[in-house]
Amino acid sequence: ILLSATFSPYSLYQRLLGLHKIDKSVARISIKSFFHKMRLKTFFITGVSTAFKYRSRTLFEKISQSLIVIFKKFCKRGVLAFCPSRDIERIVFNLVKNNLGDSVKREHQIAEWLSTKEQFINHAKSLILATIGGPLSEGIDLPFLDCVCIIGIPFPPPSPKERFRQELLLNELQLGKRKTRYLGYVIPAINKSIHAIGRLTRPPNTSVNVFLIDQRYLRREYSKILPYWLIKDKKILHIDDLLRMM
């Protein structure tokens, strides 16, 4: 029995697990999500992309300034901001700290807070910077924060290991390079973002603001992966308009 909130697309996992080769039938059960009860608003931030060719000091300054605006204007209890890599997390932390001081924390700094949720809840409003794939992005609930920001899309960087993984998928799935890349590269990255957002959206009737800070989330091939509960109440906002709220 396999259980997952992001077990999609089914055909991918069916092939990866070899279920399409067995004679016995495989049962699939889909349970309606309770997330429709959440008061959740999603902001798609355009005019910014963390794609490697666009990375610059100016880009990271804009992203850092946008986090400051979100912290001051949109949240009451705290912000959890996920970066696509440790390097970007470090750069953004150094830039934001110049403005917010000790209100800014990094993932490793709050480990002891999480020993008791009461201690975390009673702590002063904070902006917490973390990395997608790190200890705060999966397997933990943080419903006492009310804003979550996803900076960029957590695609794995080019490497011999990643190329080897894509070749294995290509040989196993036998679906062609374009579809294999979509199933084995794009969908897992978007699912990581969804997992990270889920840290704040556990209980029904939760009120959360979500900021997707990368215009690529609006591309059709990416946006169609996002669940309905995340996009049913959305607003598209250019990063320059966000910064003017300062």
Side-chain angles (χ1 to χ4, degrees), residues 47-69 82-99 127 129 151-153 213-214 216 239 243:
V48 61
S49 171
T50 62
F52 187 77
K53 62 182 177 180
Y54 297 121
R55 293 182 185 180
S56 65
R57 174 80 179 186
T58 300
L59 170 71
F60 294 126
E61 286 176 347
K62 274 195 167 186
I63 290 174
S64 301
Q65 290 164 7
S66 69
L67 292 179
I68 294 169
V69 174
F82 286 100
C83 301
S85 71
R86 291 288 182 201
D87 287 340
I88 293 179
E89 178 192 331
R90 175 180 51 79
I91 293 169
V92 173
F93 171 79
N94 289 331
L95 290 170
V96 174
K97 190 172 178 62
N98 290 335
N99 186 287
L127 191 160
L129 285 164
I151 300 167
I153 301 176
I213 307 177
D214 195 306
R216 291 176 292 173
I239 192 168
L243 296 180

mmCIF file of all heavy atoms in Angstrom, residues 47-69 82-99 127 129 151-153 213-214 216 239 243:
data_model
loop_
_atom_site.group_PDB
_atom_site.id
_atom_site.type_symbol
_atom_site.label_atom_id
_atom_site.label_comp_id
_atom_site.label_asym_id
_atom_site.label_seq_id
_atom_site.Cartn_x
_atom_site.Cartn_y
_atom_site.Cartn_z
ATOM 1 N N GLY A 47 7.863 39.106 -13.318
ATOM 2 C CA GLY A 47 8.987 40.037 -13.441
ATOM 3 C C GLY A 47 10.237 39.540 -12.751
ATOM 4 O O GLY A 47 11.199 40.302 -12.563
ATOM 5 N N VAL A 48 10.256 38.262 -12.379
ATOM 6 C CA VAL A 48 11.402 37.695 -11.682
ATOM 7 C C VAL A 48 11.504 36.210 -12.012
ATOM 8 O O VAL A 48 10.492 35.514 -12.123
ATOM 9 C CB VAL A 48 11.282 37.912 -10.157
ATOM 10 C CG1 VAL A 48 10.042 37.234 -9.613
ATOM 11 C CG2 VAL A 48 12.506 37.417 -9.435
ATOM 12 N N SER A 49 12.735 35.751 -12.199
ATOM 13 C CA SER A 49 12.998 34.330 -12.438
ATOM 14 C C SER A 49 14.374 34.001 -11.884
ATOM 15 O O SER A 49 15.327 34.763 -12.068
ATOM 16 C CB SER A 49 12.956 33.997 -13.935
ATOM 17 O OG SER A 49 13.414 32.671 -14.167
ATOM 18 N N THR A 50 14.477 32.867 -11.203
ATOM 19 C CA THR A 50 15.770 32.443 -10.672
ATOM 20 C C THR A 50 16.493 31.493 -11.624
ATOM 21 O O THR A 50 17.464 30.850 -11.225
ATOM 22 C CB THR A 50 15.620 31.759 -9.299
ATOM 23 O OG1 THR A 50 14.828 30.576 -9.457
ATOM 24 C CG2 THR A 50 14.976 32.695 -8.294
ATOM 25 N N ALA A 51 16.001 31.390 -12.868
ATOM 26 C CA ALA A 51 16.741 30.612 -13.865
ATOM 27 C C ALA A 51 18.186 31.103 -13.903
ATOM 28 O O ALA A 51 18.452 32.304 -13.760
ATOM 29 C CB ALA A 51 16.090 30.751 -15.235
ATOM 30 N N PHE A 52 19.127 30.196 -14.096
ATOM 31 C CA PHE A 52 20.544 30.510 -13.937
ATOM 32 C C PHE A 52 20.973 31.728 -14.758
ATOM 33 O O PHE A 52 21.748 32.568 -14.296
ATOM 34 C CB PHE A 52 21.395 29.297 -14.315
ATOM 35 C CG PHE A 52 22.855 29.466 -14.020
ATOM 36 C CD1 PHE A 52 23.330 29.342 -12.723
ATOM 37 C CD2 PHE A 52 23.752 29.771 -15.026
ATOM 38 C CE1 PHE A 52 24.679 29.515 -12.431
ATOM 39 C CE2 PHE A 52 25.106 29.946 -14.753
ATOM 40 C CZ PHE A 52 25.562 29.815 -13.454
ATOM 41 N N LYS A 53 20.455 31.855 -15.976
ATOM 42 C CA LYS A 53 20.896 32.947 -16.848
ATOM 43 C C LYS A 53 20.454 34.321 -16.353
ATOM 44 O O LYS A 53 20.978 35.340 -16.794
ATOM 45 C CB LYS A 53 20.395 32.723 -18.273
ATOM 46 C CG LYS A 53 18.883 32.699 -18.424
ATOM 47 C CD LYS A 53 18.495 32.427 -19.866
ATOM 48 C CE LYS A 53 16.983 32.331 -20.054
ATOM 49 N NZ LYS A 53 16.632 32.056 -21.474
ATOM 50 N N TYR A 54 19.468 34.376 -15.438
ATOM 51 C CA TYR A 54 18.980 35.655 -14.929
ATOM 52 C C TYR A 54 19.562 36.011 -13.556
ATOM 53 O O TYR A 54 19.264 37.088 -13.029
ATOM 54 C CB TYR A 54 17.462 35.635 -14.821
ATOM 55 C CG TYR A 54 16.753 35.459 -16.141
ATOM 56 C CD1 TYR A 54 15.884 34.381 -16.350
ATOM 57 C CD2 TYR A 54 16.948 36.346 -17.196
ATOM 58 C CE1 TYR A 54 15.238 34.209 -17.560
ATOM 59 C CE2 TYR A 54 16.307 36.182 -18.414
ATOM 60 C CZ TYR A 54 15.452 35.106 -18.581
ATOM 61 O OH TYR A 54 14.816 34.934 -19.787
ATOM 62 N N ARG A 55 20.352 35.146 -12.972
ATOM 63 C CA ARG A 55 20.832 35.385 -11.615
ATOM 64 C C ARG A 55 21.866 36.513 -11.589
ATOM 65 O O ARG A 55 22.800 36.529 -12.379
ATOM 66 C CB ARG A 55 21.430 34.101 -11.029
ATOM 67 C CG ARG A 55 20.364 33.026 -10.811
ATOM 68 C CD ARG A 55 20.921 31.768 -10.191
ATOM 69 N NE ARG A 55 19.891 30.743 -10.108
ATOM 70 C CZ ARG A 55 20.087 29.536 -9.613
ATOM 71 N NH1 ARG A 55 21.275 29.205 -9.118
ATOM 72 N NH2 ARG A 55 19.102 28.653 -9.578
ATOM 73 N N SER A 56 21.653 37.430 -10.662
ATOM 74 C CA SER A 56 22.543 38.576 -10.523
ATOM 75 C C SER A 56 22.331 39.188 -9.141
ATOM 76 O O SER A 56 21.374 38.854 -8.430
ATOM 77 C CB SER A 56 22.244 39.633 -11.590
ATOM 78 O OG SER A 56 20.950 40.185 -11.399
ATOM 79 N N ARG A 57 23.198 40.091 -8.793
ATOM 80 C CA ARG A 57 23.060 40.810 -7.516
ATOM 81 C C ARG A 57 21.741 41.574 -7.480
ATOM 82 O O ARG A 57 21.038 41.575 -6.475
ATOM 83 C CB ARG A 57 24.235 41.789 -7.358
ATOM 84 C CG ARG A 57 24.141 42.709 -6.148
ATOM 85 C CD ARG A 57 24.555 42.036 -4.892
ATOM 86 N NE ARG A 57 24.483 42.918 -3.742
ATOM 87 C CZ ARG A 57 24.903 42.595 -2.537
ATOM 88 N NH1 ARG A 57 25.424 41.400 -2.308
ATOM 89 N NH2 ARG A 57 24.809 43.442 -1.531
ATOM 90 N N THR A 58 21.366 42.198 -8.616
ATOM 91 C CA THR A 58 20.114 42.956 -8.687
ATOM 92 C C THR A 58 18.914 42.054 -8.456
ATOM 93 O O THR A 58 17.966 42.416 -7.745
ATOM 94 C CB THR A 58 19.991 43.649 -10.054
ATOM 95 O OG1 THR A 58 21.088 44.538 -10.236
ATOM 96 C CG2 THR A 58 18.687 44.441 -10.137
ATOM 97 N N LEU A 59 18.931 40.835 -9.039
ATOM 98 C CA LEU A 59 17.834 39.892 -8.850
ATOM 99 C C LEU A 59 17.656 39.554 -7.384
ATOM 100 O O LEU A 59 16.537 39.629 -6.842
ATOM 101 C CB LEU A 59 18.099 38.619 -9.656
ATOM 102 C CG LEU A 59 17.147 37.450 -9.358
ATOM 103 C CD1 LEU A 59 15.759 37.745 -9.898
ATOM 104 C CD2 LEU A 59 17.680 36.146 -9.930
ATOM 105 N N PHE A 60 18.741 39.201 -6.711
ATOM 106 C CA PHE A 60 18.634 38.794 -5.312
ATOM 107 C C PHE A 60 18.268 39.964 -4.406
ATOM 108 O O PHE A 60 17.615 39.775 -3.378
ATOM 109 C CB PHE A 60 19.932 38.119 -4.869
ATOM 110 C CG PHE A 60 20.206 36.819 -5.568
ATOM 111 C CD1 PHE A 60 21.395 36.599 -6.223
ATOM 112 C CD2 PHE A 60 19.243 35.816 -5.586
ATOM 113 C CE1 PHE A 60 21.642 35.405 -6.879
ATOM 114 C CE2 PHE A 60 19.479 34.618 -6.229
ATOM 115 C CZ PHE A 60 20.674 34.405 -6.890
ATOM 116 N N GLU A 61 18.657 41.153 -4.774
ATOM 117 C CA GLU A 61 18.236 42.334 -4.009
ATOM 118 C C GLU A 61 16.727 42.527 -4.132
ATOM 119 O O GLU A 61 16.056 42.844 -3.139
ATOM 120 C CB GLU A 61 18.986 43.571 -4.498
ATOM 121 C CG GLU A 61 20.444 43.621 -4.049
ATOM 122 C CD GLU A 61 21.194 44.803 -4.621
ATOM 123 O OE1 GLU A 61 20.659 45.450 -5.559
ATOM 124 O OE2 GLU A 61 22.311 45.087 -4.140
ATOM 125 N N LYS A 62 16.191 42.350 -5.338
ATOM 126 C CA LYS A 62 14.738 42.485 -5.531
ATOM 127 C C LYS A 62 13.979 41.420 -4.744
ATOM 128 O O LYS A 62 12.955 41.708 -4.103
ATOM 129 C CB LYS A 62 14.387 42.386 -7.017
ATOM 130 C CG LYS A 62 14.486 43.681 -7.766
ATOM 131 C CD LYS A 62 13.772 43.581 -9.111
ATOM 132 C CE LYS A 62 13.592 44.959 -9.731
ATOM 133 N NZ LYS A 62 12.771 44.899 -10.957
ATOM 134 N N ILE A 63 14.469 40.193 -4.798
ATOM 135 C CA ILE A 63 13.822 39.112 -4.059
ATOM 136 C C ILE A 63 13.863 39.401 -2.560
ATOM 137 O O ILE A 63 12.857 39.233 -1.851
ATOM 138 C CB ILE A 63 14.500 37.765 -4.372
ATOM 139 C CG1 ILE A 63 14.180 37.342 -5.808
ATOM 140 C CG2 ILE A 63 14.037 36.687 -3.394
ATOM 141 C CD1 ILE A 63 14.918 36.099 -6.267
ATOM 142 N N SER A 64 14.997 39.862 -2.073
ATOM 143 C CA SER A 64 15.132 40.175 -0.643
ATOM 144 C C SER A 64 14.195 41.305 -0.234
ATOM 145 O O SER A 64 13.540 41.245 0.813
ATOM 146 C CB SER A 64 16.584 40.551 -0.334
ATOM 147 O OG SER A 64 17.460 39.497 -0.665
ATOM 148 N N GLN A 65 14.090 42.334 -1.057
ATOM 149 C CA GLN A 65 13.183 43.444 -0.777
ATOM 150 C C GLN A 65 11.731 42.982 -0.789
ATOM 151 O O GLN A 65 10.915 43.445 0.010
ATOM 152 C CB GLN A 65 13.411 44.556 -1.792
ATOM 153 C CG GLN A 65 14.747 45.273 -1.629
ATOM 154 C CD GLN A 65 15.130 46.102 -2.842
ATOM 155 O OE1 GLN A 65 14.352 46.260 -3.772
ATOM 156 N NE2 GLN A 65 16.357 46.626 -2.842
ATOM 157 N N SER A 66 11.404 42.063 -1.685
ATOM 158 C CA SER A 66 10.033 41.558 -1.733
ATOM 159 C C SER A 66 9.694 40.783 -0.465
ATOM 160 O O SER A 66 8.572 40.864 0.051
ATOM 161 C CB SER A 66 9.823 40.688 -2.974
ATOM 162 O OG SER A 66 10.535 39.466 -2.881
ATOM 163 N N LEU A 67 10.660 40.033 0.077
ATOM 164 C CA LEU A 67 10.430 39.314 1.329
ATOM 165 C C LEU A 67 10.195 40.284 2.485
ATOM 166 O O LEU A 67 9.370 40.017 3.376
ATOM 167 C CB LEU A 67 11.617 38.405 1.643
ATOM 168 C CG LEU A 67 11.832 37.207 0.729
ATOM 169 C CD1 LEU A 67 13.072 36.417 1.165
ATOM 170 C CD2 LEU A 67 10.619 36.293 0.698
ATOM 171 N N ILE A 68 10.900 41.391 2.482
ATOM 172 C CA ILE A 68 10.711 42.401 3.525
ATOM 173 C C ILE A 68 9.299 42.983 3.452
ATOM 174 O O ILE A 68 8.629 43.159 4.479
ATOM 175 C CB ILE A 68 11.771 43.506 3.389
ATOM 176 C CG1 ILE A 68 13.165 42.937 3.687
ATOM 177 C CG2 ILE A 68 11.467 44.676 4.324
ATOM 178 C CD1 ILE A 68 14.310 43.861 3.329
ATOM 179 N N VAL A 69 8.823 43.276 2.226
ATOM 180 C CA VAL A 69 7.457 43.784 2.047
ATOM 181 C C VAL A 69 6.439 42.765 2.544
ATOM 182 O O VAL A 69 5.492 43.099 3.265
ATOM 183 C CB VAL A 69 7.184 44.126 0.571
ATOM 184 C CG1 VAL A 69 5.718 44.502 0.373
ATOM 185 C CG2 VAL A 69 8.090 45.265 0.111
ATOM 186 N N PHE A 82 11.189 29.638 1.313
ATOM 187 C CA PHE A 82 12.018 28.544 0.817
ATOM 188 C C PHE A 82 12.811 28.990 -0.401
ATOM 189 O O PHE A 82 12.257 29.568 -1.338
ATOM 190 C CB PHE A 82 11.150 27.345 0.434
ATOM 191 C CG PHE A 82 10.599 26.596 1.610
ATOM 192 C CD1 PHE A 82 9.290 26.793 2.024
ATOM 193 C CD2 PHE A 82 11.386 25.682 2.303
ATOM 194 C CE1 PHE A 82 8.779 26.099 3.103
ATOM 195 C CE2 PHE A 82 10.880 24.985 3.388
ATOM 196 C CZ PHE A 82 9.576 25.192 3.787
ATOM 197 N N CYS A 83 14.107 28.690 -0.391
ATOM 198 C CA CYS A 83 14.997 28.974 -1.517
ATOM 199 C C CYS A 83 15.317 27.675 -2.248
ATOM 200 O O CYS A 83 15.276 26.596 -1.659
ATOM 201 C CB CYS A 83 16.288 29.619 -1.021
ATOM 202 S SG CYS A 83 16.035 31.173 -0.122
ATOM 203 N N PRO A 84 15.683 27.757 -3.531
ATOM 204 C CA PRO A 84 15.960 26.528 -4.285
ATOM 205 C C PRO A 84 17.324 25.908 -3.980
ATOM 206 O O PRO A 84 17.583 24.788 -4.392
ATOM 207 C CB PRO A 84 15.877 26.992 -5.742
ATOM 208 C CG PRO A 84 16.227 28.440 -5.699
ATOM 209 C CD PRO A 84 15.682 28.951 -4.390
ATOM 210 N N SER A 85 18.194 26.634 -3.267
ATOM 211 C CA SER A 85 19.513 26.090 -2.931
ATOM 212 C C SER A 85 20.059 26.778 -1.691
ATOM 213 O O SER A 85 19.608 27.865 -1.308
ATOM 214 C CB SER A 85 20.486 26.282 -4.099
ATOM 215 O OG SER A 85 20.833 27.654 -4.233
ATOM 216 N N ARG A 86 21.044 26.145 -1.058
ATOM 217 C CA ARG A 86 21.688 26.726 0.121
ATOM 218 C C ARG A 86 22.414 28.021 -0.227
ATOM 219 O O ARG A 86 22.444 28.961 0.569
ATOM 220 C CB ARG A 86 22.684 25.725 0.714
ATOM 221 C CG ARG A 86 22.061 24.504 1.353
ATOM 222 C CD ARG A 86 21.389 24.838 2.657
ATOM 223 N NE ARG A 86 20.844 23.631 3.277
ATOM 224 C CZ ARG A 86 19.881 23.633 4.176
ATOM 225 N NH1 ARG A 86 19.340 24.778 4.548
ATOM 226 N NH2 ARG A 86 19.443 22.510 4.699
ATOM 227 N N ASP A 87 23.020 28.070 -1.390
ATOM 228 C CA ASP A 87 23.748 29.274 -1.787
ATOM 229 C C ASP A 87 22.811 30.474 -1.879
ATOM 230 O O ASP A 87 23.126 31.565 -1.400
ATOM 231 C CB ASP A 87 24.453 29.057 -3.134
ATOM 232 C CG ASP A 87 25.663 28.153 -3.008
ATOM 233 O OD1 ASP A 87 26.173 28.000 -1.881
ATOM 234 O OD2 ASP A 87 26.084 27.583 -4.029
ATOM 235 N N ILE A 88 21.635 30.274 -2.502
ATOM 236 C CA ILE A 88 20.673 31.375 -2.611
ATOM 237 C C ILE A 88 20.116 31.729 -1.242
ATOM 238 O O ILE A 88 19.919 32.911 -0.927
ATOM 239 C CB ILE A 88 19.548 31.007 -3.602
ATOM 240 C CG1 ILE A 88 20.138 30.896 -5.018
ATOM 241 C CG2 ILE A 88 18.424 32.035 -3.562
ATOM 242 C CD1 ILE A 88 19.128 30.503 -6.082
ATOM 243 N N GLU A 89 19.893 30.732 -0.416
ATOM 244 C CA GLU A 89 19.422 31.005 0.949
ATOM 245 C C GLU A 89 20.412 31.907 1.688
ATOM 246 O O GLU A 89 20.024 32.862 2.358
ATOM 247 C CB GLU A 89 19.254 29.688 1.719
ATOM 248 C CG GLU A 89 18.813 29.885 3.165
ATOM 249 C CD GLU A 89 18.929 28.620 3.997
ATOM 250 O OE1 GLU A 89 18.817 27.508 3.440
ATOM 251 O OE2 GLU A 89 19.141 28.742 5.227
ATOM 252 N N ARG A 90 21.701 31.612 1.561
ATOM 253 C CA ARG A 90 22.734 32.400 2.241
ATOM 254 C C ARG A 90 22.777 33.835 1.711
ATOM 255 O O ARG A 90 22.861 34.790 2.498
ATOM 256 C CB ARG A 90 24.102 31.734 2.046
ATOM 257 C CG ARG A 90 25.275 32.525 2.594
ATOM 258 C CD ARG A 90 26.585 31.792 2.350
ATOM 259 N NE ARG A 90 26.731 31.381 0.962
ATOM 260 C CZ ARG A 90 27.107 32.205 -0.021
ATOM 261 N NH1 ARG A 90 27.365 33.483 0.237
ATOM 262 N NH2 ARG A 90 27.242 31.762 -1.256
ATOM 263 N N ILE A 91 22.687 34.001 0.387
ATOM 264 C CA ILE A 91 22.723 35.336 -0.216
ATOM 265 C C ILE A 91 21.529 36.165 0.250
ATOM 266 O O ILE A 91 21.668 37.320 0.665
ATOM 267 C CB ILE A 91 22.743 35.232 -1.751
ATOM 268 C CG1 ILE A 91 24.062 34.612 -2.227
ATOM 269 C CG2 ILE A 91 22.548 36.606 -2.386
ATOM 270 C CD1 ILE A 91 24.060 34.241 -3.694
ATOM 271 N N VAL A 92 20.341 35.569 0.177
ATOM 272 C CA VAL A 92 19.121 36.288 0.564
ATOM 273 C C VAL A 92 19.144 36.619 2.052
ATOM 274 O O VAL A 92 18.748 37.717 2.465
ATOM 275 C CB VAL A 92 17.871 35.460 0.192
ATOM 276 C CG1 VAL A 92 16.605 36.108 0.749
ATOM 277 C CG2 VAL A 92 17.763 35.311 -1.328
ATOM 278 N N PHE A 93 19.616 35.695 2.872
ATOM 279 C CA PHE A 93 19.693 35.945 4.313
ATOM 280 C C PHE A 93 20.540 37.177 4.615
ATOM 281 O O PHE A 93 20.145 38.052 5.397
ATOM 282 C CB PHE A 93 20.273 34.725 5.028
ATOM 283 C CG PHE A 93 20.585 34.957 6.473
ATOM 284 C CD1 PHE A 93 19.577 34.935 7.431
ATOM 285 C CD2 PHE A 93 21.883 35.213 6.895
ATOM 286 C CE1 PHE A 93 19.857 35.164 8.773
ATOM 287 C CE2 PHE A 93 22.179 35.444 8.227
ATOM 288 C CZ PHE A 93 21.166 35.414 9.166
ATOM 289 N N ASN A 94 21.712 37.253 4.001
ATOM 290 C CA ASN A 94 22.612 38.385 4.253
ATOM 291 C C ASN A 94 21.992 39.711 3.824
ATOM 292 O O ASN A 94 22.194 40.745 4.472
ATOM 293 C CB ASN A 94 23.941 38.164 3.534
ATOM 294 C CG ASN A 94 24.765 37.057 4.173
ATOM 295 O OD1 ASN A 94 24.664 36.804 5.373
ATOM 296 N ND2 ASN A 94 25.573 36.376 3.367
ATOM 297 N N LEU A 95 21.222 39.695 2.734
ATOM 298 C CA LEU A 95 20.590 40.928 2.248
ATOM 299 C C LEU A 95 19.411 41.337 3.125
ATOM 300 O O LEU A 95 19.244 42.520 3.450
ATOM 301 C CB LEU A 95 20.134 40.740 0.800
ATOM 302 C CG LEU A 95 21.255 40.632 -0.249
ATOM 303 C CD1 LEU A 95 20.676 40.204 -1.601
ATOM 304 C CD2 LEU A 95 21.985 41.956 -0.392
ATOM 305 N N VAL A 96 18.584 40.371 3.527
ATOM 306 C CA VAL A 96 17.394 40.684 4.329
ATOM 307 C C VAL A 96 17.782 41.096 5.747
ATOM 308 O O VAL A 96 17.156 41.970 6.353
ATOM 309 C CB VAL A 96 16.433 39.473 4.351
ATOM 310 C CG1 VAL A 96 15.265 39.741 5.296
ATOM 311 C CG2 VAL A 96 15.907 39.175 2.961
ATOM 312 N N LYS A 97 18.828 40.488 6.272
ATOM 313 C CA LYS A 97 19.239 40.773 7.657
ATOM 314 C C LYS A 97 19.635 42.235 7.844
ATOM 315 O O LYS A 97 19.478 42.793 8.933
ATOM 316 C CB LYS A 97 20.391 39.853 8.048
ATOM 317 C CG LYS A 97 20.733 39.899 9.533
ATOM 318 C CD LYS A 97 21.733 38.836 9.899
ATOM 319 C CE LYS A 97 22.108 38.930 11.379
ATOM 320 N NZ LYS A 97 20.942 38.709 12.258
ATOM 321 N N ASN A 98 20.115 42.861 6.783
ATOM 322 C CA ASN A 98 20.487 44.276 6.875
ATOM 323 C C ASN A 98 19.290 45.147 7.234
ATOM 324 O O ASN A 98 19.453 46.226 7.819
ATOM 325 C CB ASN A 98 21.083 44.744 5.543
ATOM 326 C CG ASN A 98 22.445 44.127 5.271
ATOM 327 O OD1 ASN A 98 23.149 43.748 6.198
ATOM 328 N ND2 ASN A 98 22.803 44.011 4.001
ATOM 329 N N ASN A 99 18.082 44.689 6.889
ATOM 330 C CA ASN A 99 16.869 45.463 7.157
ATOM 331 C C ASN A 99 16.116 44.969 8.385
ATOM 332 O O ASN A 99 15.648 45.771 9.193
ATOM 333 C CB ASN A 99 15.952 45.424 5.925
ATOM 334 C CG ASN A 99 14.742 46.320 6.069
ATOM 335 O OD1 ASN A 99 13.816 46.027 6.810
ATOM 336 N ND2 ASN A 99 14.740 47.442 5.332
ATOM 337 N N LEU A 127 10.993 35.961 10.163
ATOM 338 C CA LEU A 127 11.103 35.533 8.774
ATOM 339 C C LEU A 127 12.156 34.425 8.746
ATOM 340 O O LEU A 127 13.322 34.668 9.052
ATOM 341 C CB LEU A 127 11.519 36.685 7.865
ATOM 342 C CG LEU A 127 11.420 36.448 6.345
ATOM 343 C CD1 LEU A 127 11.391 37.777 5.597
ATOM 344 C CD2 LEU A 127 12.572 35.611 5.805
ATOM 345 N N LEU A 129 14.262 31.596 6.774
ATOM 346 C CA LEU A 129 14.757 31.201 5.462
ATOM 347 C C LEU A 129 15.195 29.746 5.505
ATOM 348 O O LEU A 129 15.948 29.339 6.397
ATOM 349 C CB LEU A 129 15.926 32.084 5.032
ATOM 350 C CG LEU A 129 15.537 33.500 4.573
ATOM 351 C CD1 LEU A 129 16.752 34.406 4.541
ATOM 352 C CD2 LEU A 129 14.882 33.454 3.197
ATOM 353 N N ILE A 151 10.735 30.690 -3.432
ATOM 354 C CA ILE A 151 11.610 31.479 -4.299
ATOM 355 C C ILE A 151 12.174 30.558 -5.372
ATOM 356 O O ILE A 151 12.946 29.642 -5.078
ATOM 357 C CB ILE A 151 12.749 32.115 -3.482
ATOM 358 C CG1 ILE A 151 12.175 33.031 -2.397
ATOM 359 C CG2 ILE A 151 13.695 32.891 -4.388
ATOM 360 C CD1 ILE A 151 13.195 33.456 -1.362
ATOM 361 N N GLY A 152 11.776 30.796 -6.627
ATOM 362 C CA GLY A 152 12.267 29.964 -7.714
ATOM 363 C C GLY A 152 11.624 28.598 -7.757
ATOM 364 O O GLY A 152 10.691 28.285 -7.009
ATOM 365 N N ILE A 153 12.128 27.760 -8.653
ATOM 366 C CA ILE A 153 11.667 26.379 -8.803
ATOM 367 C C ILE A 153 12.857 25.478 -8.503
ATOM 368 O O ILE A 153 13.929 25.658 -9.081
ATOM 369 C CB ILE A 153 11.131 26.119 -10.220
ATOM 370 C CG1 ILE A 153 9.971 27.081 -10.527
ATOM 371 C CG2 ILE A 153 10.657 24.673 -10.362
ATOM 372 C CD1 ILE A 153 9.428 26.963 -11.935
ATOM 373 N N ILE A 213 7.402 33.109 -6.046
ATOM 374 C CA ILE A 213 8.245 34.200 -6.535
ATOM 375 C C ILE A 213 9.099 33.699 -7.703
ATOM 376 O O ILE A 213 10.311 33.479 -7.575
ATOM 377 C CB ILE A 213 9.102 34.778 -5.388
ATOM 378 C CG1 ILE A 213 8.202 35.157 -4.201
ATOM 379 C CG2 ILE A 213 9.883 36.005 -5.848
ATOM 380 C CD1 ILE A 213 8.945 35.660 -2.982
ATOM 381 N N ASP A 214 8.461 33.506 -8.814
ATOM 382 C CA ASP A 214 9.125 33.123 -10.062
ATOM 383 C C ASP A 214 8.046 33.062 -11.136
ATOM 384 O O ASP A 214 7.079 32.315 -11.007
ATOM 385 C CB ASP A 214 9.828 31.768 -9.941
ATOM 386 C CG ASP A 214 10.815 31.525 -11.068
ATOM 387 O OD1 ASP A 214 10.403 31.625 -12.246
ATOM 388 O OD2 ASP A 214 11.992 31.231 -10.792
ATOM 389 N N ARG A 216 7.897 31.702 -13.868
ATOM 390 C CA ARG A 216 7.756 30.428 -14.571
ATOM 391 C C ARG A 216 6.604 29.583 -14.041
ATOM 392 O O ARG A 216 6.106 28.695 -14.753
ATOM 393 C CB ARG A 216 9.067 29.637 -14.495
ATOM 394 C CG ARG A 216 10.208 30.237 -15.308
ATOM 395 C CD ARG A 216 11.503 29.461 -15.104
ATOM 396 N NE ARG A 216 12.010 29.616 -13.752
ATOM 397 C CZ ARG A 216 13.049 28.947 -13.263
ATOM 398 N NH1 ARG A 216 13.684 28.063 -14.028
ATOM 399 N NH2 ARG A 216 13.471 29.160 -12.026
ATOM 400 N N ILE A 239 6.606 42.052 -9.544
ATOM 401 C CA ILE A 239 7.469 42.292 -8.386
ATOM 402 C C ILE A 239 7.669 43.776 -8.121
ATOM 403 O O ILE A 239 7.782 44.228 -6.981
ATOM 404 C CB ILE A 239 8.825 41.565 -8.557
ATOM 405 C CG1 ILE A 239 9.572 41.578 -7.205
ATOM 406 C CG2 ILE A 239 9.655 42.175 -9.669
ATOM 407 C CD1 ILE A 239 10.772 40.655 -7.152
ATOM 408 N N LEU A 243 6.998 45.736 -4.629
ATOM 409 C CA LEU A 243 8.000 46.572 -3.951
ATOM 410 C C LEU A 243 7.488 47.982 -3.673
ATOM 411 O O LEU A 243 7.920 48.634 -2.717
ATOM 412 C CB LEU A 243 9.282 46.628 -4.795
ATOM 413 C CG LEU A 243 10.022 45.308 -4.979
ATOM 414 C CD1 LEU A 243 11.272 45.489 -5.839
ATOM 415 C CD2 LEU A 243 10.390 44.692 -3.644
#
